[in-house]
Amino acid sequence: MTRGRLSNGTLRSLPAAVSVPAFDRDRVAPGIVHLGVGAFHRAHQAAYVDACLAGGETGWGIIGVSLRSPDTRDALAPQDGLYTLAVRESAGEQLQVVGSILSLLVAPEDPDAVLTALTDPRTRIVTLTITEKAYLRAADGSLDETHPDIVHDLGNPGSPKTAHGFLAEALARRRAAGTQPFTVLCCDNLPANGATLHKLLVEFAKLRDARLARQGDAELARHVANEVAFPSSMVDRIVPATTDADRARIAGELGLEDAWPVMTEPFCQWVIEDRFPTGRPAWEKFGVTMVEDVGPFEDMKLRLLNGAHSSLAYLGLLSGHATVDRAFADPSIRRFVDALWAEAVPTLPQAAGLDTAAYTAELAERFSNTALAHRTAQIANDGSQKLPQRIVASALARLDAGLLPEHLSLAVAAWIAACAARGGTLPEGHFTDPLDAALRDIFARNLPTAEMTTAVFDLAGLAKGHPQRQTLIEVVATHLVHLREGGPALALGALGIGGERGKTE
């Protein structure tokens, strides 16, 4: 039976086994604004900042901003921003109450409050976890100037909707006030994420400058290009969606209600390029790796962890496996993942000193964690935005080296097959993709497999302009024929991966 709700006032009533913030929250000042305050941020960056605050660096509290939904604010505001981080492994669970988020804002409800936080001189870093699709890129990687939200932000700079609009308007106001620009730290799974966001924001600022030139201010693009730091970073921690059963279990452990606890694994990694002109927390004291070049770490994570995750998601769904650990326990899928890693490893920078054998061994242990129950449907979301850097980049690198990417291309085929299966063998809405409407139109045309594969590649901009594009399409189409005729068993069997199938749920 619970005794109320988690909050500053109830912290002292928690059981001794639950870790609580080891600092006086009333003495913490905001120094970071985070855009996209979802579960991953609360399991990752907010936990690292919590450790810094406990170490005495009290000028780095977080103001969290939701760009769309009020759900996180509505759950955590009555709890003074506190929430439980449940670190789960097969052997048990450890609970920690995180106190680094000082307040939460909802951008659509109060854009002025968000801009006030961003222009506060105490704000020296802006971090982002807004998912790949929220960067609003066109198929060629440039800013999608035609996106309705971009069009809105260019016409309404004082009331933006997108991360681009908020960052640009805040930087313009800081520049006008003589306040140094904040550092922009992207924490999403984009290739060279800092450089990518820098390029997109310069493009947005140029469009904004063109609109405002008649008002005598057309200098923001140059300011963003030359004066604002965009270090790249690599983030890694598995964070399944919280279920009602999780909430009930956590409430029983705390003796208090927590509207939105976060589930995660013991492993946590953050690698950051060390470029922060206005200062940063001493993250390196708490496990963060500060480097000159994050690229090799990022490539390893995207191609080995994220690539395997997406593959497990689509093959798992097609095989009836609801969670990653169950998909990975399927002998055929496990052998497929090992073979996919064997294809992807040679595409990584060989001179970077990466220990890929140790990394994949650790991934295998993480994927086997039965306590997380990381749902394959959650990972399957937004495949058209994720596969280019997770799978397609490795596949093209192999083709450039004169090698066929058989297992990597099966991952792409499994994505197409899983998308097509929704409303049939998979429930409608089981997972979503930004291209769903157009994908449904393609599937409804009942095209021959090769034509359908080409149409999907065209739609998603996969391998666009690459000389090996047609070869990749042909290999993917071959796997897709097998998936359509006999499911994963036939497709994996065609690669010589047989064995007893794991039971489905």
Side-chain angles (χ1 to χ4, degrees), residues 190-335:
L190 301 173
N193 56 13
T196 297
L197 179 52
H198 190 195
K199 174 179 174 291
L200 292 170
L201 198 60
V202 169
E203 291 174 4
F204 181 88
K206 286 180 178 178
L207 296 171
R208 187 181 187 277
D209 285 345
R211 291 285 188 98
L212 299 177
R214 294 180 183 178
Q215 300 177 28
D217 185 0
E219 295 294 322
L220 181 60
R222 184 160 59 186
H223 178 67
V224 172
N226 299 328
E227 305 298 332
V228 184
F230 288 78
S232 287
S233 76
M234 184 274 276
V235 298
D236 189 359
R237 198 171 209 184
I238 295 172
V239 185
T242 301
T243 66
D244 288 340
D246 292 326
R247 289 182 175 86
R249 186 185 69 259
I250 298 301
E253 293 290 334
L254 300 181
L256 297 170
E257 297 291 340
D258 182 348
W260 207 331
V262 178
M263 308 300 113
T264 194
E265 62 173 335
F267 181 89
C268 194
Q269 185 179 28
W270 199 1
V271 183
I272 308 175
E273 290 177 352
D274 200 358
R275 294 188 289 115
F276 292 82
T278 55
R280 62 168 177 82
W283 278 313
E284 66 274 16
K285 294 181 180 179
F286 305 98
V288 178
T289 304
M290 307 302 299
V291 299
E292 291 186 8
D293 179 14
V294 77
F297 298 91
E298 174 189 86
D299 288 343
M300 183 168 69
K301 188 252 183 172
L302 285 170
R303 298 185 184 190
L304 301 186
L305 168 66
N306 297 127
H309 243 173
S310 289
S311 303
L312 283 165
Y314 300 118
L315 286 173
L317 286 169
L318 292 170
S319 301
H321 298 303
T323 60
V324 167
D325 63 288
R326 293 178 182 178
F328 197 62
D330 183 314
S332 294
I333 294 179
R334 170 60 195 271
R335 283 193 284 273

Side-chain angles (χ1 to χ4, degrees), residues 180-199:
Q180 279 188 286
F182 43 66
T183 297
V184 183
L185 180 59
C186 180
C187 301
D188 281 302
N189 287 322
L190 301 173
N193 56 13
T196 297
L197 179 52
H198 190 195
K199 174 179 174 291

Side-chain angles (χ1 to χ4, degrees), residues 422-465:
R422 287 174 300 172
T425 56
L426 293 178
E428 192 67 56
H430 206 48
F431 61 91
T432 62
D433 193 283
L435 301 180
D436 271 343
L439 285 169
R440 281 193 291 268
D441 290 342
I442 291 173
F443 300 144
R445 290 156 58 190
N446 293 317
L447 297 169
T449 302
E451 291 182 32
M452 183 180 75
T453 304
T454 300
V456 173
F457 266 61
D458 289 344
L459 173 65
L462 299 179
K464 184 176 182 179

Side-chain angles (χ1 to χ4, degrees), residues 63-88:
I63 296 177
V65 177
S66 297
L67 290 175
R68 295 194 179 278
S69 168
D71 292 351
T72 304
R73 188 274 317 273
D74 292 349
L76 299 190
Q79 300 179 182
D80 302 313
L82 297 170
Y83 60 93
T84 309
L85 183 62
V87 180
R88 307 193 70 195

